[in-house]
Amino acid sequence: MITKDNPSMNSTAESIYLSNSDFAIREQCRVREDNIAHEKYQKECIENLTKEVTHLRELLKKHGIEEE
């Protein structure tokens, strides 16, 4: 509404909009990268815990202890 009759203000408003849009896109990319890193970390934790459970089950079996 303010920029309707003033081309200079229109250009400024467009620049501000593009700047904010770029920030929003960068923020979305950062959030996505954080989520990917977190998912990778969770997957590694699950793999490590699975190996540990397997190892402990083998120890139980080796010592003649049955699982419940």
Side-chain angles (χ1 to χ4, degrees):
M1 192 165 78
I2 295 171
T3 65
K4 189 182 207 180
D5 298 324
N6 188 336
S8 154
M9 287 295 283
N10 189 32
S11 175
T12 302
E14 287 178 11
S15 294
I16 291 170
Y17 174 79
L18 290 174
S19 176
N20 288 339
S21 295
D22 290 345
F23 174 78
I25 290 169
R26 285 193 309 270
E27 184 65 13
Q28 286 177 351
C29 291
R30 186 195 60 76
V31 168
R32 183 173 186 271
E33 289 173 2
D34 288 349
N35 287 337
I36 289 169
H38 182 68
E39 186 176 336
K40 181 181 176 185
Y41 171 75
Q42 284 183 322
K43 184 178 178 181
E44 290 171 357
C45 286
I46 289 169
E47 288 173 1
N48 290 336
L49 290 170
T50 301
K51 287 178 186 176
E52 183 69 17
V53 167
T54 301
H55 174 71
L56 292 172
R57 284 183 174 158
E58 289 171 358
L59 285 175
L60 288 172
K61 187 176 180 179
K62 179 180 177 181
H63 294 289
I65 301 171
E66 293 184 28
E67 293 183 61
E68 291 184 17

